[in-house]
Amino acid sequence: VQLQASGGGLVQAGGSLRLSCAASGRTFSWYTMGWFRQAPGKEREFVTAISWSGISTNYADSVKGRFTASRDNAKNTAHLQMNSLKPEDTAVYYCAVSTVVTNTVGLRRVSEYYYWGQGTQVTVSS
């Protein structure tokens, strides 16, 4: 699976961005999709996970209520709608596909994801 993340950019605090992740090479329908982010000098951290069905989601407390994950398996794409952005959301955002076929959204560790996109920069100015 090859993942291509896009949609990042520069936005003012309070603004919105919608990230996209396009998968190619094979279907990712039966895998959990995750979004992570990494700020300069910090470790990569979990943002959200969405089950293969798209019904279940899991969010980090820092983004809960502001970010919404979705996916379209027919198009092999996933999205992350980010609203009410804050300067502390500034990071490179990565999409990833779980290592195993699963419908769980409890995958919050980097090691639980095997395929990774190249990342897209999100910068939120104050």
Side-chain angles (χ1 to χ4, degrees):
V1 176
Q2 293 181 325
L3 302 176
Q4 180 76 33
S6 62
L10 173 64
V11 65
Q12 288 188 331
S16 298
L17 282 173
R18 185 175 189 241
L19 305 185
S20 297
C21 180
S24 61
R26 60 182 289 185
T27 181
F28 73 163
S29 299
W30 305 110
Y31 298 82
T32 292
M33 168 69 74
W35 288 92
F36 288 74
R37 66 187 182 185
Q38 188 167 18
K42 295 187 177 181
E43 293 186 353
R44 193 168 298 189
E45 67 173 3
F46 171 80
V47 175
T48 182
I50 182 168
S51 63
W52 66 258
S53 64
I55 294 175
S56 300
T57 52
N58 184 13
Y59 294 95
D61 288 343
S62 58
V63 306
K64 200 171 294 183
R66 299 188 297 121
F67 290 12
T68 303
S70 62
R71 65 190 293 170
D72 184 341
N73 290 334
K75 296 181 179 179
N76 250 12
T77 58
H79 301 284
L80 181 63
Q81 178 66 42
M82 306 187 297
N83 298 329
S84 302
L85 283 162
K86 304 175 181 180
E88 50 263 44
D89 294 319
T90 294
V92 177
Y93 283 71
Y94 299 88
C95 56
V97 173
S98 61
T99 301
V100 297
V101 173
T102 181
N103 201 31
T104 181
V105 291
L107 308 180
R108 300 171 71 100
R109 295 180 293 184
V110 170
S111 60
E112 293 173 314
Y113 294 83
Y114 186 76
Y115 299 101
W116 291 83
Q118 85 290 357
T120 184
Q121 176 71 46
V122 171
T123 303
V124 184
S125 63
S126 58

